[in-house]
Every structure is written in C-alpha cells, then in structure tokens.
Amino acid sequence: MTTSRSTATGSATVIAAGQRARRGTPLLPNGGSSPTAPAVPGAARAEEAGTGIVESTRRGGRALALTFDDGPNPTDTPRLLGVLRRHRVKAVFCLWGDHVREHPELVRAIVAGGHTLGNHTMHHEDLASWAPERIRADLAAANALIQQAAPGAPIPYFRAPYGSWGQSAEVASGLGMQPLGWRLAVGDWEPPDTGELVRRIEEGITPGSVVLLHDGGGDRSRTIAAVDRIVPELRAQGWRFELPARSG
C-alpha cells in the first residue's frame, strides 16, 4: 500500500490550529487570484465557499468535527465506516485521487453512510510552489474521479496535503470547495498506541475543533480503535459531532 508522506516525519506532539503537520508553519495561503473558470462537477456552488481556511464547526459550544485523510483504504476505511455507523457519527473524508481510482466502491460506501467528501488532490503532493493553473488541473482531476465513483455526490471541501496551501485555497474556493484545515492534528501517522491517541484527543480538543485523523496512508487500526473509544466518552461529557463550517 502506498504510504502517505505525512508518515515520514512528525512528532508525537499534538499539533494545534494554524500549524502544518510537518513544519509548524502557518496554515495561510500565499496569495494569488482565484481562477474564473466554472467549478468542476461535484463541487458545491462557488459562492458558498470562502477562501479562508476553516478550522471550526458550524456551531459553537462543545462540538467537534471528525475528518479523515488519505483514503479510501480497503482495509481500514470499511472498518471505520462501521464504527461511525454504530456510534451515529457523520464525518468528512478527504480523498486521495490515486486511492479513489483503485477503490471507487469505497467512495460509494462513504457516501451511502451519509458522510461528506473532500478533495485531497490526486497524488498527495506539496502544493506550496505550484501555479494556480496546475493546482486547478490536479483538483479537477481528483473531483472527476470522485464523481465517476459516486455520481452526483457533492464535494464541498478541499484539504491541502501537509497543510501546505500555497495558492490552493483560492483555487479550491473558485471551484466551489471550502478550504478545510484543522484545529487539532492528533498525529496518528506515526502511529502511537490507541491509548495515546485517545489521550491526545481528550486533552487537545477545544469547543468547535476540526480534528484531523487518517483512514489511509498506512495501518490505521489504532486510529479506528481510538475513535471507537472516544466517541461515547465525549458524548457522555456533552460533546456533539458536527460538520465543519462552510465559509472562512
């Protein structure tokens, strides 16, 4: 299985909002104008997406949004879907185009489970130095594969690999996708044991957090076990599970 580059480095420290998973630099786009071409199929209406990078849920209070990157993964994505179904939680799945091509049936399973899709580029490359035209072609190709797998499914979010945005936030917004960051990166790419992942979530969440986890890019069995444990614990503490905001 192809391993996400985010597994190559990274510390055991929980990474908070406004930071990149590998380098600790701000999650800010480098500027540049949005493309004027029409949005690609599957994206939400362009006027619904802002260029700001969303890191919070739609409503405040004790709410968090679970988001999963780098799938679909034929071993762990179905197991994760089962856990989320059992706990009645809806999440965002940011899909890697190469993996969508290999496992389109899992994209359909994600949609059938009532979850929300995000574009995570075709090949999980660092976009920091890319020109807008190149970014747009990559995002359009990934959206086309997602649409081929699940015709008509909306793709309202885009997340840049490694949180390395370059000019991709503006491009994604022009395609109708809201740039999606995170307030809490749990660091499950290493991977630590399940208990450590649970601890990081418990100690790291704040009201309205978008939480970054992974269902692809490696063995995610510990992540799935941690989600299975943490959801009922947080619900018992009065936390709600919601989707991220749609404007930034």
Side-chain angles (χ1 to χ4, degrees):
M1 178 182 298
T2 302
T3 301
S4 162
R5 285 172 52 197
S6 62
T7 65
T9 59
S11 69
T13 305
V14 171
I15 302 168
Q19 294 179 314
R20 286 180 52 187
R22 294 190 304 159
R23 302 176 192 163
T25 56
L27 279 172
L28 294 174
N30 290 339
S33 60
S34 299
T36 57
V40 296
R45 289 182 300 165
E47 65 268 24
E48 294 179 349
T51 58
I53 299 166
V54 164
E55 300 171 348
S56 62
T57 56
R58 298 181 178 187
R59 295 185 293 171
R62 292 171 73 82
L64 68 153
L66 296 181
T67 67
F68 298 92
D69 282 10
D70 295 357
N73 168 353
T75 300
D76 295 318
T77 301
R79 296 177 56 224
L80 175 60
L81 291 173
V83 167
L84 295 174
R85 181 172 59 250
R86 185 164 65 252
H87 292 300
R88 302 181 305 282
V89 170
K90 305 302 181 187
V92 178
F93 286 79
C94 297
L95 303 177
W96 182 334
D98 290 325
H99 297 169
V100 170
R101 179 187 287 117
E102 295 168 356
H103 305 290
E105 75 285 354
L106 295 181
V107 180
R108 292 189 287 274
I110 291 168
V111 172
H115 303 288
T116 300
L117 303 181
N119 182 320
H120 200 40
T121 74
M122 274 299 303
H123 311 299
H124 205 274
E125 297 177 276
D126 190 322
L127 306 179
S129 64
W130 286 27
E133 296 78 12
R134 184 182 178 190
I135 295 170
R136 188 180 193 282
D138 184 281
L139 270 54
N143 273 357
L145 280 175
I146 294 169
Q147 279 289 290
Q148 183 178 348
I155 310 168
Y157 297 105
F158 164 72
R159 175 174 279 156
Y162 319 113
S164 183
W165 293 91
Q167 298 185 61
S168 65
E170 292 91 341
V171 174
S173 177
L175 295 173
M177 295 182 290
Q178 180 65 48
L180 178 61
W182 60 82
R183 190 175 291 172
L184 173 64
V186 182
D188 59 340
W189 53 81
E190 296 170 343
D193 62 37
T194 297
E196 174 63 14
L197 291 176
V198 169
R199 183 193 68 79
R200 291 180 187 182
I201 297 170
E202 289 177 333
E203 296 182 2
I205 56 171
T206 55
S209 290
V210 171
V211 179
L212 169 62
L213 293 158
H214 295 78
D215 66 314
D219 178 2
R220 302 306 179 202
S221 58
R222 296 176 181 87
T223 296
I224 296 166
V227 171
D228 199 16
R229 281 176 51 179
I230 198 66
V231 168
E233 291 180 13
L234 292 178
R235 274 218 175 102
Q237 298 169 23
W239 288 87
R240 308 183 312 275
F241 294 86
E242 300 185 354
L243 291 177
R246 268 288 292 165
S247 63

